[in-house]
Amino acid sequence: MARKAGSDGSRTAEAIRAAGLRLIYEHGYEGMSLRDLAQAVGLQPGSLYNHIATKQALLFELVSGHMCALTEALDAALAGVEGPLARLDAFVAFHLRYHLDRKMEVFVNNSELRSLEPDNRAAITAMRRDYERRLADILATGAAEGVFVVPDVPVTSYAILAQLTGVASWYQPDGRLNAEAIIALHRDLVMHGLTGRRIPTAGG
Amino acid sequence: MARKAGSDGSRTAEAIRAAGLRLIYEHGYEGMSLRDLAQAVGLQPGSLYNHIATKQALLFELVSGHMCALTEALDAALAGVEGPLARLDAFVAFHLRYHLDRKMEVFVNNSELRSLEPDNRAAITAMRRDYERRLADILATGAAEGVFVVPDVPVTSYAILAQLTGVASWYQPDGRLNAEAIIALHRDLVMHGLTGRRIPTAGG
Amino acid sequence: MARKAGSDGSRTAEAIRAAGLRLIYEHGYEGMSLRDLAQAVGLQPGSLYNHIATKQALLFELVSGHMCALTEALDAALAGVEGPLARLDAFVAFHLRYHLDRKMEVFVNNSELRSLEPDNRAAITAMRRDYERRLADILATGAAEGVFVVPDVPVTSYAILAQLTGVASWYQPDGRLNAEAIIALHRDLVMHGLTGRRIPTAGG
Amino acid sequence: MARKAGSDGSRTAEAIRAAGLRLIYEHGYEGMSLRDLAQAVGLQPGSLYNHIATKQALLFELVSGHMCALTEALDAALAGVEGPLARLDAFVAFHLRYHLDRKMEVFVNNSELRSLEPDNRAAITAMRRDYERRLADILATGAAEGVFVVPDVPVTSYAILAQLTGVASWYQPDGRLNAEAIIALHRDLVMHGLTGRRIPTAGG
DNA sequence: CATGAATGAGTTTTCATTCAT
DNA sequence: TATGAATGAAAACTCATTCAT
């Protein structure tokens, strides 16, 4: 009937996004019903429409929100870092750290692109390319300067991204290795793969 | 009403599996309706049930069928190959070639595990572990013999698998690079990452 | 494909009737599927149609078969019995004994008339009236001769039939009372209700 | 699409129960489709689910609602009536009058128990036993006090209940006999059966 | 801003029945 | 006679969405 005591529009909207992310992560976009979502946030299904336009708009909001935040954070992490070696190292560390903290966002962004309507999908794909180009640029510069051995820049950058992003699919915060150990390990693996040398920050 | 002249059970069943794989790849398990599937194979929806028990059983059949064939083919590819270097090389080449030919199977096997019912999911997870252990064994042997630098066997094997499997997500048979070029590139990348040396077969 | 070794048309048809009766008793006509029935007799669903015309025809066959046998057996039981007292007594004993042996037929004949198509239902209703008239005739004769107190022949005959037929709904062959005890008890109850006297055959 | 102007939830729910009772009476539980039910109350099939949980829950609600009301009304009818003769007489009159007014409830309660899921059936069976025990108690008391001749209390109470309940299956409100005449006739029949005497209230 | 009742199209699955083999 | 593959209609139920209150 009227507003529940203590409810608050923007808090409700945020709760919807949080629950929506979790439910899409667990059941997929097609597998999440708005009834489930409404129940998760303590509303009737119809009430969701005071906060979202459609189910599809919610998905787009989640996916594009993640991409925006990701790219922005990357730019902050790379700001002021100079030289391909240092920038690659920073990229690897940033990408892993960011993704390990956001298992659900990562999975949804990888698995649910096909559930986006064509226009929405095109927008997201452009954002992804934008992000991936930053790694490709680092690799290209490093190859041009002779510090990396990169037979094919696009393929190599995809390979690195797949390797790093894949970690989110098995990482457990309370597992055998903590995040920092995993990050160190992959910095080494990537750097070694491109240069044959141990990463400089390792002191070796 | 009755059997169409010339219809054949096993051919229909195979057509259902093929169309089911494609539709799940395109729309996801939840996103594929049995109406769509029936239309794709030229049947009425109810007629599907002469060939499958349930929609879930079809998914399990596709996913487990892929895992069985994959493991069997790997064992054939590794048979008689001796030494960690050669075995790793053979693994990379096999895994990539097999996956590049099966974009749809790969995507479905990675994205739709969450749509399997608990028992079915457990069975598939066990099969995956079985496959992954073959790579881990190669890495462990190579590390023990001192030919690989492997700080952590499970993490490294996941990293390699993610890197290789990820190729299927962007590979286009008629793209800029053909399959053999991609395979060569990744053999190098992986081998270099673990040994610091070019792969022996590359002649360098 | 071909006939199963050892199968026999009329034996199969009888098995279908037996299983059909049991399944309709357990689940109702609408609740019994021909798939269930086929499985119960070890056939594929389509094969049933070598033995029955339609599901409805099977129901009619079961229901009308029971009514025919019932009426014929009653006539045999009453043949040569003279006088309203003796005939009523014979009716009660016969009706109870016959119904106690045929729980399933009784229930189906009472509950599934509504599932008969109009023409079939009309035929069965006529057969039931035919059977019931035999009791009504006994009561009318007894009332005319002054041996029964029967304020209303149709109502009283329905009351007696309901009372006797109802026994089949709770009777258990291995229960506390055996069939003969139950029959004796109801002969007494009915006779007492109509005459105020103990039944003559009880020796009292 | 949304709520029809002037629609009212509780009125709709009641209409669903009323139409559901009639349709189950006419076609049986398995034979009633929710499409038919929706049409009978002027809704789309899916809209029924705003008022019922499942088809089975509707059946249980109808059947248990009847049993509750029946038992409560019986207790009211027997309240303050003393002595087995008077209580039996009151029971017969009450049971008949209540059942003659509720042909459909009676039939559904007798025929559709098998369509209840096990737990629901067990609950109804317990309620029935509760009701039947009230008659059995009257008979037992009367037998102990020597006013009734009751060779076997359970069998006799079932016989009386079957006789009385059976009336609902043929009674027509505009038939040859009105309800009061039928009630009088059965009071006499039952009382006579147990005592050999006319009912005291008949003044004879 | 929330509710509850509604829609209409959709879901997976089952059904009685048919008929080429 | 039996099978197995098919039909077309229907089943119970769910869905995203709408809107009067």
Side-chain angles (χ1 to χ4, degrees), chain A residues 92-111:
Chain A
V92 170
F94 164 79
H95 187 92
L96 265 178
R97 213 179 321 261
Y98 200 89
H99 280 63
L100 291 190
D101 284 350
R102 291 168 180 82
K103 270 183 86 106
M104 297 192 299
E105 285 89 339
V106 169
F107 189 80
V108 168
N109 267 60
N110 285 330
S111 291

Side-chain angles (χ1 to χ4, degrees), chain D residues 16 22 34 73 84 94 106 133 140 145 151 170 182 184 189 192 197:
Chain D
I16 289 171
R22 182 175 55 79
L34 293 189
F94 163 80
V106 169
R133 206 190 40 236
E145 298 185 2
W170 56 261
I182 292 170
L189 200 58
H192 208 197
R197 284 181 288 141

Side-chain angles (χ1 to χ4, degrees), chain A:
Chain A
M1 321 206 166
R3 188 196 305 215
K4 259 186 190 160
S7 85
D8 169 347
S10 69
R11 222 177 309 154
T12 302
E14 181 49 34
I16 289 172
R17 275 193 295 274
L21 177 64
R22 181 175 56 79
L23 289 170
I24 294 175
Y25 170 69
E26 287 171 3
H27 308 115
Y29 174 75
E30 305 274 1
M32 172 192 74
S33 85
L34 291 190
R35 279 163 170 75
D36 298 338
L37 177 56
Q39 197 182 28
V41 297
L43 290 178
Q44 295 299 315
S47 306
L48 292 175
Y49 286 83
N50 290 314
H51 305 279
I52 65 172
T54 64
K55 191 187 178 190
Q56 170 75 202
L58 172 62
L59 175 62
F60 181 69
E61 199 180 325
L62 290 172
V63 168
S64 68
H66 174 69
M67 282 311 300
C68 283
L70 173 66
T71 304
E72 204 169 321
L74 172 63
D75 286 343
L78 289 181
V81 179
E82 302 292 343
L85 271 175
R87 286 179 72 80
L88 177 61
D89 193 48
F91 180 94
V92 170
F94 164 79
H95 187 92
L96 265 178
R97 213 179 321 261
Y98 200 89
H99 280 63
L100 291 190
D101 284 350
R102 291 168 180 82
K103 270 183 86 106
M104 297 192 299
E105 285 89 339
V106 169
F107 189 80
V108 168
N109 267 60
N110 285 330
S111 291
E112 300 302 342
L113 296 192
R114 72 181 160 204
S115 293
L116 288 168
E117 286 162 5
D119 285 1
N120 289 339
R121 175 156 47 198
I124 298 300
T125 302
M127 297 171 87
R128 282 174 78 109
R129 267 200 301 266
D130 194 41
Y131 181 82
E132 292 161 359
R133 206 189 40 238
R134 285 159 167 80
L135 172 60
D137 286 349
I138 294 171
L139 295 186
T141 305
E145 298 185 4
V147 290
F148 297 150
V149 176
V150 182
D152 188 282
V153 167
V155 169
T156 305
S157 65
Y158 284 142
I160 292 172
L161 283 167
Q163 192 171 61
L164 300 180
T165 303
V167 177
S169 70
W170 56 261
Y171 171 69
Q172 305 280 9
D174 52 355
R176 184 170 53 87
L177 295 174
N178 65 24
E180 292 311 311
I182 292 170
I183 291 169
L185 208 149
H186 282 86
R187 286 162 85 181
D188 202 35
L189 200 59
V190 168
M191 204 57 81
H192 209 197
L194 293 184
T195 66
R197 282 181 289 142
R198 299 264 148 202
I199 57 173
T201 57

